[in-house]
Amino acid sequence: MSEQANEAVESVKLENLSAELQQVIKYEQVPAELFTMLASVHEAAEDVVREAWDALPASAQNILDNFEQFHALVSLSQSYAGIDFLQECQDLKFDDMTQEQADDYKATLLDKLLFNCVKDLAKQLKQARLKPAMKREFREIFQK
């Protein structure tokens, strides 16, 4: 890895992230090597995540304390899903496509996957309204 790339990886420290993202990282014991990627996903997805949050009924929003908690949970979900997807894509063969077509196809699949992470968490919050155990699980992550 180049010296410049090392500096980029080291530049994101836990204490520089939002309090909610820090709590999710600590709760889930996310390795420090993923902080930079997680921070990038967190920043890049904010608008889409905000739209999903705003579309939730107030009763689902009330499972968490605020948007930032939802955003942190979505960011973690998207990060892990993205890693899994990229690892699986390495083994795929696209013999009937040009490199550009294959790249476009992968990008489309990744976009859908990341959007589904947002939808899935929104769905879980809606379910948690009726399931006290799920509600407790969500709140436990952010206990101080």
Side-chain angles (χ1 to χ4, degrees), residues 13 20 26 29 44 53 63 106 122 125 137:
K13 296 187 180 347
E20 295 82 5
K26 288 175 185 173
Q29 301 175 344
W53 173 259
I63 300 298
K106 288 177 191 177
L125 280 180
E137 285 179 34

Side-chain angles (χ1 to χ4, degrees), residues 50-137:
R50 173 71 69 184
E51 286 178 28
W53 173 259
D54 291 344
L56 283 171
S59 57
Q61 289 179 350
N62 288 335
I63 300 298
L64 300 172
D65 291 337
N66 55 47
F67 163 74
E68 285 302 325
Q69 289 179 348
F70 180 70
H71 189 195
L73 291 168
V74 168
S75 297
L76 181 68
S77 173
Q78 289 179 321
S79 295
Y80 280 132
I83 288 170
D84 291 344
F85 174 79
L86 293 173
Q87 287 173 340
E88 289 180 25
C89 269
Q90 290 177 344
D91 299 333
L92 294 178
K93 302 283 187 239
F94 297 99
D95 296 331
D96 57 337
M97 294 182 184
T98 66
Q99 185 61 44
E100 185 178 341
Q101 289 172 324
D103 290 344
D104 287 346
Y105 180 69
K106 288 177 191 177
T108 300
L109 289 178
L110 182 60
D111 189 50
K112 287 179 183 179
L113 174 73
L114 297 177
F115 182 72
N116 284 340
C117 290
V118 178
K119 281 180 34 179
D120 185 53
L121 192 60
K123 182 179 175 182
Q124 288 178 41
L125 280 180
K126 290 177 184 177
Q127 291 173 345
R129 297 178 295 180
L130 304 173
K131 298 180 179 178
M134 279 182 82
K135 184 187 262 187
R136 263 192 312 280
E137 285 179 34

